[in-house]
């Protein structure tokens, strides 16, 4: 990570150190928010990240510690969250800091910044180092890679697929170009794929937002009914009391649904009693309201219980019920290659000429080459030669992909024959058969995926509520408003609010050309009752060796529910995308059979190319054109 358009060589040492520390802690705080969101949305344990600051000597480390603990650095926020560890420490300080260092992964450990001289000793393994700040050091490639290696350990034991969870941030303002150069080398540790090396503006802090339902309730109608049922005299004070009781009911009901996840369609009596009891306790905390409640306890409790049921029904009605499936037989894994055409631009071989070398044995400097004709491989079968090489690859099963193999090998041979004739093509294949097969194999692996063989799914229940989410953002804008694109990820840093037909009134999107356009379309389309950007764990659908499928949208109309996937045209033949599509169709088929038998709406799968989503599109027409069943 670095800052753009700044000449760091004009900075003094201390000024550069301060800038790197400030930017480093900005990365640290950003990461902390991302991890919090990931843990909440994926129901994972919370990982507490920390930042490692590497200094050149003990005096330098003392200066850094003094700066970090000063009011100049984040107003002293890290004064009690920082430790320094180096070999010259003695006594109780060493023991206390070492204990904190060894326990730095614990969420109860307050330490978020570790200052050290040069490098920590081998044997200190942690999984929560996310930010590294090498101050006036890391001059050598080896030292930089040792530092980065500290942060390449995965906190959840495997790659999550979330780049922020799988990444380590390295501030390298004055060494940034050196690190970029290293990253291009084939043996570089930065090829590990989880080191962020992009320029990023850090001035705008991220905010974490919890999605919450919005309930549109006619307050006047509610008050009228409440006065009739409770028998209370009409007054401004009682207006406030009844409205407050109703607001408490909404909050407690939403909390009950969020905390319990799987909830029934009708509120059970014990849960209703608990919600009403919590509301009455809150009302009794106010002396005046408590007195009114006690004087009218029976009719007031009756009204509260009826209101609790109505509130619950209203809230459940805001959600889209989602069938939950269970895989009863995982079956046998099958390896599949998706049909594709070769990129022939990488096949650049030329026929090898037969050169005769004449060497004077008395004078070793006297050497002459006599050029001859191209080597003649007439009688050889180049297609079989390439196929023999591809047979050596463990993922390639000739019986399953013979048609694709024949097609790809033919494309290569035709390509070389067009350029060099039959003899030239045979020459190239025989001399470069392994390399040619390797290039074909590399492209095949980009179109390779693994799927379960024969397996059965069944619907086991229906989720009547939709999962709330934690969302981080740097901007909040209305669904139809313009937004600035000056942040990393552009639209991914924006939270869109004011959504009318969404289950939740706010959402985030990955693309403005497809997802945002579709969301705007859905929110104003007359045929759409509700729509949802599902949470990561909303569906228990997996694809390609256990990856979790997170559909783009769920849409409910008067007669159907839709699982909607929007994909860019360049992704339409991607193996993962095709497997998601297959699994989405299967989910909808299984769900529809169950839903028809149990009085629920059927499910349909829509797979929409992104350029087909236009501002003037109608959802009914999109559903008609792109329905997959």
């Amino acid at each position: 990570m670095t800052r753009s358009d700044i000449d760091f060589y004009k900075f003094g040492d201390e000024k550069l150190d301060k800038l790197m520390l400030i930017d480093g802690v900005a990365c640290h705080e950003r990461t902390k928010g991302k991890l919090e969101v990931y843990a909440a949305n994926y129901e994972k344990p919370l990982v507490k990240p920390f930042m490692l600051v590497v200094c050149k000597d003990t005096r330098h480390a003392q200066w850094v510690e003094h700066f970090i603990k000063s009011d100049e650095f984040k107003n002293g926020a890290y004064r009690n969250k920082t430790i320094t560890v180096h070999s010259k420490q003695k006594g109780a300080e060493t023991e206390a800091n070492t204990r904190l260092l060894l326990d730095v992964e614990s969420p109860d450990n307050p330490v978020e910044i570790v200052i050290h001289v040069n490098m920590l000793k081998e044997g200190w393994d942690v999984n929560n180092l996310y930010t590294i700040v090498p101050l006036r050091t890391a001059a050598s490639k080896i030292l930089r890679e040792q530092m980065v290696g500290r942060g390449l350990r995965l906190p959840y034991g495997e790659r999550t697929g979330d780049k922020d969870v799988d990444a380590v941030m390295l501030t390298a303002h004055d060494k940034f170009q050196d690190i970029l150069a290293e990253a291009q080398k084939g043996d570089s540790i930065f090829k590990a794929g989880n080191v962020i090396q992009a320029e990023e503006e850090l001035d705008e802090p991220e905010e974490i937002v919890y999605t919450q339902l919005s309930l549109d309730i006619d307050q006047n109608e509610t008050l009228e009914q409440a006065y009739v049922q409770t028998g209370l005299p009409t007054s401004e004070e009682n207006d406030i009391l009844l409205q407050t009781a109703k607001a408490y009911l909404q909050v407690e009901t939403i909390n009950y649904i969020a905390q319990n996840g799987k909830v029934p369609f009708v509120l059970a009596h014990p849960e209703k009693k608990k919600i009403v009891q919590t509301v009455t306790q809150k009302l009794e905390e106010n002396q005046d309201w408590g007195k009114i409640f006690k004087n009218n306890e029976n009719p007031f409790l009756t009204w509260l219980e009826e209101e609790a049921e109505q509130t619950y029904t209203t809230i459940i009605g805001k959600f889209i019920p989602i069938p939950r499936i269970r895989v009863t037989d995982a079956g046998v894994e099958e390896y599949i290659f998706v049909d594709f055409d070769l990129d022939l631009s990488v096949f650049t071989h030329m026929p090898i000429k037969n050169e005769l070398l004449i060497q004077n044995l008395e004078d070793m400097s006297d050497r002459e080459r006599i050029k001859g004709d191209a080597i003649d491989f007439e009688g050889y079968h180049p297609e079989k030669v390439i196929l023999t090489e591809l047979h050596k690859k463990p993922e390639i099963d000739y019986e399953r992909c013979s048609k694709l193999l024949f097609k790809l090998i033919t494309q290569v041979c035709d390509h070389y024959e067009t350029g060099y004739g039959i003899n030239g093509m045979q020459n190239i294949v025989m001399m470069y058969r392994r390399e040619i097969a390797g290039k074909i194999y590399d492209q095949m692996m980009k179109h390779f995926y693994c799927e379960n063989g024969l397996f059965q799914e069944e619907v086991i229940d229906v989720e009547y509520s939709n999962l709330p989410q934690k969302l981080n953002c740097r901007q909040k804008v209305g669904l139809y408003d313009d937004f600035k694109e000056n942040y990393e990820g552009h639209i991914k840093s924006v939270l869109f609010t004011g959504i009318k037909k969404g289950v939740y009134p706010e959402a985030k999107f990955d693309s403005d050309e497809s997802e945002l356009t579709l969301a705007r379309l859905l929110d104003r389309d007359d045929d759409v009752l509700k729509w949802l950007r599902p949470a990561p764990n909303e569906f228990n659908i997996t694809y390609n060796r256990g990856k979790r499928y997170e559909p783009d949208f769920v849409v409910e109309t008067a007669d159907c529910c839709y699982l909607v996937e929007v994909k860019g045209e360049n992704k339409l033949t991607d193996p993962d995308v095709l497997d998601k599509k297959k699994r989405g169709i299967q989910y909808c088929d299984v769900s529809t059979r169950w839903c028809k038998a149990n009085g629920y709406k059927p499910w349909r799968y829509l797979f929409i190319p992104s350029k087909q989503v236009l501002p003037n599109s109608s959802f009914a027409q999109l559903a008609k054109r792109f329905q997959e069943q």
Side-chain angles (χ1 to χ4, degrees):
M1 185 277 295
T2 187
R3 287 185 181 233
S4 59
D5 302 320
I6 295 179
D7 184 358
F8 295 105
Y9 295 100
K10 294 180 180 178
F11 281 57
D13 286 345
E14 287 193 5
K15 188 175 181 181
L16 181 58
D17 282 355
K18 287 184 178 181
L19 181 64
M20 288 180 69
L21 288 166
I22 290 169
D23 287 350
V25 83
C27 290
H28 166 72
E29 291 176 346
R30 172 184 179 277
T31 297
K32 192 158 66 168
K34 298 280 189 181
L35 288 169
E36 183 181 341
V37 169
Y38 179 83
N41 288 336
Y42 287 89
E43 299 178 355
K44 298 282 188 179
L46 180 63
V47 171
K48 183 206 76 174
F50 79 97
M51 181 172 91
L52 177 66
V53 182
V54 185
C55 301
K56 67 175 183 177
D57 54 38
T58 55
R59 181 175 296 182
H60 187 205
Q62 289 171 353
W63 176 87
V64 169
E65 181 179 11
H66 181 266
F67 172 66
I68 289 177
K69 292 183 175 181
S70 70
D71 290 337
E72 184 182 354
F73 186 81
K74 304 293 288 187
N75 295 318
Y78 290 88
R79 187 173 290 120
N80 299 316
K81 300 178 181 180
T82 302
I83 60 171
T84 299
V85 182
H86 56 77
S87 59
K88 294 185 179 180
Q89 288 177 319
K90 297 180 180 179
E93 181 184 22
T94 302
E95 185 178 342
N97 284 354
T98 301
R99 193 161 52 245
L100 287 169
L101 180 66
L102 294 176
D103 193 38
V104 74
E105 289 180 313
S106 171
D108 298 327
N109 187 329
V111 173
E112 294 186 37
I113 298 178
V114 174
I115 303 169
H116 199 273
V117 177
N118 291 329
M119 273 312 301
L120 294 161
K121 294 179 180 179
E122 293 301 323
W124 180 61
D125 291 331
V126 290
N127 293 321
N128 61 331
L129 172 54
Y130 272 88
T131 306
I132 304 171
V133 184
L135 301 178
R136 288 185 250 167
T137 183
S140 72
K141 173 180 182 292
I142 293 175
L143 184 54
R144 280 197 288 270
E145 293 199 349
Q146 283 178 338
M147 281 190 290
V148 173
R150 293 276 178 199
L152 291 183
R153 298 173 174 90
L154 302 171
Y156 291 106
E158 60 183 3
R159 289 192 183 279
T160 64
D162 186 308
K163 71 178 182 66
D164 296 304
V165 177
D166 296 337
V168 55
M169 298 291 288
L170 176 66
T171 62
H173 292 340
D174 59 334
K175 299 287 191 303
F176 191 69
Q177 293 304 321
D178 295 343
I179 289 175
L180 286 183
E182 285 171 21
Q184 305 308 312
K185 298 177 182 178
D187 62 345
S188 172
I189 193 171
F190 301 106
K191 293 289 186 182
N194 57 336
V195 181
I196 295 179
Q197 300 159 345
E199 299 180 4
E200 178 180 4
E201 294 295 334
L202 299 169
D203 297 332
E204 191 80 19
E206 285 195 334
E207 178 183 354
I208 295 178
V209 176
Y210 295 80
T211 54
Q212 293 184 345
L213 288 172
S214 60
L215 301 178
D216 301 322
I217 295 175
D218 188 331
Q219 293 292 347
N220 292 328
E221 184 180 345
T222 299
L223 281 175
E224 267 184 52
Q225 295 173 351
Y227 277 121
V228 170
Q229 288 182 266
T230 60
L232 290 173
T234 304
S235 69
E236 185 176 343
E237 183 183 30
N238 287 340
D239 281 357
I240 297 172
L241 168 62
L242 294 170
Q243 288 172 347
T244 302
K246 181 70 173 177
Y248 284 163
L249 276 175
Q250 291 177 14
V251 171
E252 293 304 317
T253 305
I254 290 172
N255 287 342
Y256 161 72
I257 292 172
Q259 290 168 7
N260 289 276
K262 296 180 180 180
V263 293
F265 184 69
V266 177
L267 184 63
H269 186 71
E271 280 67 32
K272 178 175 65 176
K273 285 288 188 184
K274 289 178 184 177
I275 291 172
V276 169
Q277 185 179 10
T278 303
V279 171
T280 56
Q281 287 173 351
K282 287 186 175 182
L283 293 174
E284 288 173 345
E285 290 174 0
N286 180 291
Q287 187 174 358
D288 295 332
W289 293 345
K291 185 176 180 181
I292 296 173
F293 171 72
K294 285 296 182 185
N295 291 336
N296 302 272
E297 185 170 358
N298 288 335
F300 204 95
L301 280 175
T302 301
W303 172 73
L304 275 178
E305 289 184 3
E306 290 185 9
E307 279 298 307
E309 290 180 5
Q310 291 179 12
T311 300
Y312 184 84
T313 301
T314 300
I315 292 172
I316 290 297
K318 292 280 290 184
F319 294 119
I320 300 176
I322 294 179
R324 290 190 63 82
I325 60 173
R326 177 173 60 201
V327 178
T328 56
D329 183 6
V332 179
E333 289 184 338
E334 293 186 4
Y335 297 90
I336 295 174
F337 289 96
V338 178
D339 185 41
F340 73 100
D341 291 315
L342 283 174
D343 174 11
L344 294 169
S345 64
V346 300
F347 294 90
T348 57
H349 304 94
M350 298 175 64
I352 289 182
K353 300 292 184 178
N354 183 20
E355 292 186 336
L356 301 178
L357 178 64
I358 301 175
Q359 174 68 60
N360 185 335
L361 297 180
E362 292 183 354
D363 182 0
M364 299 305 293
S365 65
D366 184 6
R367 176 178 292 182
E368 183 179 359
R369 292 182 183 271
I370 301 176
K371 294 188 178 294
D373 295 329
I375 302 172
D376 186 0
F377 287 102
E378 187 177 352
Y380 286 89
H381 298 284
E383 292 87 354
K384 290 184 178 179
V385 170
I386 297 173
L387 182 60
T388 299
E389 293 297 329
L390 288 171
H391 268 162
K392 298 175 183 178
K393 307 295 184 181
E395 296 86 357
I396 296 177
D397 184 337
Y398 177 77
E399 297 298 327
R400 294 181 181 276
C401 58
S402 58
K403 185 176 179 181
L404 177 63
L405 285 171
F406 178 77
K407 170 186 168 182
L408 300 181
I409 292 172
T410 300
Q411 287 180 354
V412 170
C413 291
D414 288 348
H415 168 68
Y416 284 125
E417 184 175 342
T418 300
Y420 303 103
I422 294 177
N423 186 261
M425 177 269 290
Q426 291 173 330
N427 178 298
I428 290 169
V429 171
M430 294 307 299
M431 299 305 298
Y432 299 103
R433 56 187 179 275
R434 290 181 183 174
E435 190 173 336
I436 291 171
K439 290 180 181 293
I440 295 174
Y441 170 76
D442 289 343
Q443 293 194 37
M444 288 183 70
M445 291 308 294
K446 294 178 182 177
H447 296 82
F448 169 79
Y449 71 93
C450 171
E451 67 171 16
N452 286 327
L454 300 173
F455 64 92
Q456 296 177 343
E457 293 176 336
E458 61 179 338
V459 176
I460 53 176
D461 58 23
V462 171
E463 291 283 7
Y464 292 105
S465 63
N466 302 128
L467 298 175
Q469 300 179 53
K470 275 186 175 181
L471 304 173
N472 47 2
C473 65
R474 288 186 177 146
Q475 282 191 83
K476 291 182 182 179
V477 301
L479 181 63
Y480 298 99
D481 295 340
D482 293 329
F483 60 94
K484 295 180 289 183
E485 290 194 354
N486 59 341
Y487 300 123
E488 183 227 359
H490 303 318
I491 192 173
K492 293 182 181 181
S493 65
V494 179
L495 181 71
F496 291 89
T497 61
I499 296 169
K500 302 298 183 184
K501 292 189 176 183
V503 171
Y504 294 104
E506 58 275 312
K508 291 183 67 177
F509 307 102
D510 296 328
S511 167
D512 57 341
E513 292 183 354
S514 55
E515 292 184 354
L516 177 58
T517 301
L518 181 58
R520 288 170 170 171
L521 180 159
L522 295 174
D523 214 51
R524 61 178 175 234
D525 194 289
D526 292 338
D527 291 325
V528 174
L529 299 180
K530 292 170 275 187
W531 63 272
L532 172 71
R533 286 282 283 171
N537 285 344
E538 198 87 52
F539 289 85
N540 57 332
I541 308 175
T542 59
Y543 69 100
N544 202 354
R545 307 194 78 176
K547 297 177 185 176
R548 181 175 288 276
Y549 179 25
E550 301 171 20
D552 291 333
F553 292 88
V554 178
V555 181
E556 183 178 356
T557 63
D559 57 1
C560 192
C561 289
Y562 295 89
L563 207 59
V564 183
E565 190 75 21
V566 185
K567 277 289 171 282
E569 275 68 9
N570 63 329
K571 294 282 189 180
L572 296 181
T573 59
D574 180 86
D576 275 358
V577 171
L578 292 177
D579 202 21
K580 288 179 186 178
K581 177 180 174 182
K582 180 178 179 180
R583 297 290 293 110
I585 292 171
Q586 188 162 358
Y587 171 86
C588 290
D589 285 344
V590 172
S591 297
T592 294
R593 288 194 295 271
W594 186 90
C595 288
K596 284 183 176 180
N598 290 275
Y600 293 90
K601 296 176 182 178
W603 282 74
R604 298 287 182 265
Y605 188 78
L606 303 186
F607 186 76
I608 309 176
S610 62
K611 290 183 180 179
Q612 300 301 314
V613 182
L614 303 174
N616 62 344
S617 299
S618 70
F619 182 72
Q621 187 62 25
L622 289 174
K624 184 178 179 180
R625 289 180 61 195
F626 298 107
Q627 182 173 307
E628 289 292 333
Q629 285 99 322

